[in-house]
Amino acid sequence: MTNINQKITPVGFPHFHYINEDLYVENIPLKILSEKLDTPLYVYSRASIRESWNKYAKAIKDKNVLICYGMKANSNISIVKELGFLGAGFDIVSGGELKKVIAAGINTNKVVFSGVGKKSWEIKIALEYGIKCFNIESESELRKISKISNILNKNANISIRINPNVDANTHPYISTGLKENKFGIDIEESLALYKLASTLPNIKIVGIDCHIGSQITELAPYIDTINKIINFAKKLHKININIEHIDLGGGLGIKYHNNDKIFNIEELLVFFAAKLKENNLHNIQIILEPGRSLVGNSGILLSKVEYIKTTLTKNFAIIDAAMNDIMRPALYQAYHGILPVYNKNNNKQYYDIVGPVCESADWIAKNRLLSSLKEGDLIAIESAGAYCMTMASNYNSRPKAAEIIVDKDKYYIIRQRESIEEIIQKELLIPIE
Ligand SMILES: *Cc1c(COP(=O)(O)O)cnc(C)c1O
């Protein structure tokens, strides 16, 4: 008989791996973690996060590049602290995320602030903490930031998020660089807004910003964007607006399937740096805002099979994780690999993996050929380090899962499992009259 263990390679390999039949994260078997900490449980690998960071660190060596982690991918303060310690700045999209950077004990001078709906208190705290740059998404926002800076007697560093109108070739919900998106300013209209910015009080223009989408696997959309942005920087130059940085945004894809191919980050940076040089823009700093690619394959969601339900047409494995824990399949029809935690050598069957939430959209995986499952078995949902826990909700009054980070043969709880009491505590009873 062939050994099926040889055939399954987790996308997070080597930090997620099998020893004999058991799935491990670094040196800890997931089975032990479920016994100690219960399920559903987010399990991250510290070594894997460091490896993802090191790929960027190697690619930016000897270049003027700042990596600002797009922290909405995973904003747990321990992950923020880890990446901040390694040298990352942060791309934030809310005042809450700024407060998390502060709570993690990380300096705010490498924070850039994106997002179309910045509120006054968020602008104020960002000014007070002296962030690196506001990425402006509209004229109204620009005027508001100028007004608040003026009142606080501070200068706001700004860049304008221009929309280069390139198709990132990704899912429509995570594509942001097309004319019809709500993000950024059309490249045709941006020059006028830069001119306006140069006349507003307490505004200092420092950069150009863009972000064309997420889970981008090909280099071509970035090349198009770089060409357009560099031309735009030259136009600014001509009217005496000299910028200090160009922010290319995030969006670099990860492998969800083992055979996915992702372009090489070093290739992108070599092209970008050469293009700047060619156009006499030597001293311009490059900023990248990767989120998913720093953490996505550094985590799994551990879950238990509660019931097997066989109907005329399907085998359902009903697990204890649901769309409130991991929304990407429901929201984007996203694919996540499913790994058996105990990889026994038996017959394979097709399964739909679904959660207990009362919605037909509550599925995690469809038509997956898996070693046959029984009630009580554990599975690991792969690629769950990014846009999973941060999108979790309490739908169906389900408490949010716990999160841990494994470091070799130790683990740290980085988010306690929520209790149902904590959910109820925030709600108030009306008097009956
Ligand atoms: C979401 C987001 C990012 C991070 O995107 P990834 O696809 O996770 O790399 C970066 N910048 C902005 C403005 C974003 O909205």
Side-chain angles (χ1 to χ4, degrees):
M1 204 185 275
T2 54
N3 182 357
I4 63 164
N5 298 326
Q6 305 302 315
K7 291 181 194 159
I8 300 183
T9 308
V11 287
F13 185 81
H15 312 290
F16 299 78
H17 60 112
Y18 285 97
I19 296 182
N20 300 321
E21 275 87 27
D22 291 314
L23 183 59
Y24 279 63
V25 176
E26 301 196 21
N27 301 338
I28 304 186
L30 283 170
K31 186 176 60 184
I32 302 289
L33 293 174
S34 96
E35 283 163 12
K36 288 199 170 147
L37 300 167
D38 206 356
T39 51
L41 180 71
Y42 277 102
V43 184
Y44 308 120
S45 153
R46 184 177 222 168
S48 174
I49 294 170
R50 291 195 170 177
E51 185 185 287
S52 305
W53 171 261
N54 286 338
K55 264 186 210 154
Y56 279 95
K58 190 164 154 270
I60 68 177
K61 213 166 161 234
D62 307 322
K63 297 187 189 73
N64 185 7
V65 184
L66 174 64
I67 305 291
C68 291
Y69 169 52
M71 67 179 275
K72 73 177 186 291
N74 189 323
S75 61
N76 184 288
I77 57 174
S78 276
I79 295 203
V80 167
K81 182 175 173 183
E82 178 78 7
L83 285 166
F85 169 79
L86 291 170
F90 295 89
D91 170 54
I92 62 167
V93 291
S94 72
E97 287 189 345
L98 180 57
K99 289 198 174 185
K100 282 192 166 191
V101 173
I102 297 161
I106 303 296
N107 198 310
T108 51
N109 62 2
K110 289 193 280 187
V111 166
V112 298
F113 192 172
S114 304
V116 294
K118 302 175 187 81
K119 284 174 75 74
S120 298
W121 73 266
E122 295 178 306
I123 293 167
K124 206 167 149 223
I125 159 175
L127 285 166
E128 277 160 1
Y129 277 91
I131 63 162
K132 182 176 171 72
C133 189
F134 288 90
N135 293 337
I136 303 288
E137 306 238 15
S138 64
E139 181 181 333
S140 305
E141 179 193 334
L142 178 63
R143 290 185 186 277
K144 185 183 268 186
I145 291 176
S146 167
K147 205 178 283 175
I148 295 173
S149 308
N150 192 258
I151 293 167
L152 295 181
N153 197 22
K154 305 241 182 213
N155 279 327
N157 293 335
I158 66 110
S159 67
I160 291 173
R161 176 167 174 180
I162 68 174
N163 191 334
N165 198 26
V166 301
D167 189 348
N169 237 334
T170 184
H171 189 282
Y173 283 13
I174 46 179
S175 174
T176 57
L178 285 169
K179 271 190 201 300
E180 63 261 34
N181 296 123
K182 72 175 174 183
F183 298 101
I185 308 283
D186 195 278
I187 193 159
E188 312 293 330
E189 296 164 25
S190 300
L191 201 63
L193 198 56
Y194 268 99
K195 282 182 191 158
L196 172 69
S198 69
T199 67
L200 290 177
N202 304 72
I203 291 289
K204 182 175 180 229
I205 297 169
V206 294
I208 305 175
D209 176 48
C210 67
H211 171 72
I212 56 173
S214 199
Q215 185 53 19
I216 299 167
T217 54
E218 295 163 5
L219 188 55
Y222 284 111
I223 300 286
D224 283 357
T225 303
I226 290 167
N227 286 330
K228 287 186 175 183
I229 298 255
I230 285 185
N231 278 338
F232 188 76
K234 287 186 345 199
K235 279 191 202 163
L236 287 181
H237 222 81
K238 275 195 196 128
I239 56 169
N240 254 334
I241 296 177
N242 296 309
I243 52 161
E244 297 164 14
H245 72 245
I246 295 179
D247 184 338
L248 192 60
L252 298 94
I254 61 167
K255 283 185 181 193
Y256 283 94
H257 290 87
N258 244 324
N259 47 2
D260 285 345
K261 294 256 180 303
I262 316 290
F263 70 88
N264 184 324
I265 174 67
E266 209 156 343
E267 211 177 314
L268 170 70
L269 286 171
V270 165
F271 175 84
F272 201 166
K275 218 54 197 176
L276 287 172
K277 205 167 165 196
E278 201 180 302
N279 288 283
N280 286 321
L281 299 166
H282 306 272
N283 296 324
I284 290 184
Q285 181 185 44
I286 295 171
I287 297 179
L288 294 178
E289 302 171 346
R292 188 190 314 267
S293 51
L294 282 172
V295 290
N297 273 330
S298 298
I300 57 96
L301 175 57
L302 181 62
S303 179
K304 193 171 84 185
V305 177
E306 292 289 341
Y307 297 99
I308 299 291
K309 178 172 173 176
T310 305
T311 67
L312 286 177
T313 52
K314 282 197 185 276
N315 294 314
F316 290 101
I318 302 167
I319 62 172
D320 66 356
M323 66 186 284
N324 76 296
D325 301 299
I326 180 162
M327 192 161 62
R328 297 188 68 258
L331 189 61
Y332 316 120
Q333 288 83 50
Y335 175 96
H336 284 264
I338 304 291
L339 298 173
V341 166
Y342 174 56
N343 187 21
K344 54 202 176 298
N345 201 349
N346 65 7
N347 293 332
K348 292 197 167 188
Q349 296 197 51
Y350 284 93
Y351 288 95
D352 276 15
I353 309 284
V354 301
V357 161
C358 301
E359 294 283 343
S360 292
D362 183 28
W363 57 272
I364 313 292
K366 281 183 176 167
N367 289 318
R368 293 298 171 81
L369 189 59
L370 302 169
S371 301
S372 90
L373 291 168
K374 64 176 191 320
E375 295 174 5
D377 281 353
L378 296 167
I379 60 165
I381 303 164
E382 294 189 277
S383 313
Y387 302 108
C388 291
M389 188 61 198
T390 46
M391 287 187 175
S393 77
N394 290 121
Y395 189 37
N396 279 215
S397 294
R398 289 168 50 87
K400 287 184 192 163
E403 292 175 289
I404 68 167
I405 190 160
V406 173
D407 184 1
K408 301 184 188 79
D409 38 26
K410 284 197 303 247
Y411 67 82
Y412 302 92
I413 296 174
I414 61 170
R415 182 189 165 94
Q416 284 173 342
R417 187 175 299 287
E418 201 172 20
S419 69
I420 188 65
E421 288 73 23
E422 285 171 273
I423 297 175
I424 295 173
Q425 214 171 41
K426 292 207 181 73
E427 302 184 12
L428 302 170
L429 284 169
I430 51 165
I432 300 296
E433 303 191 32

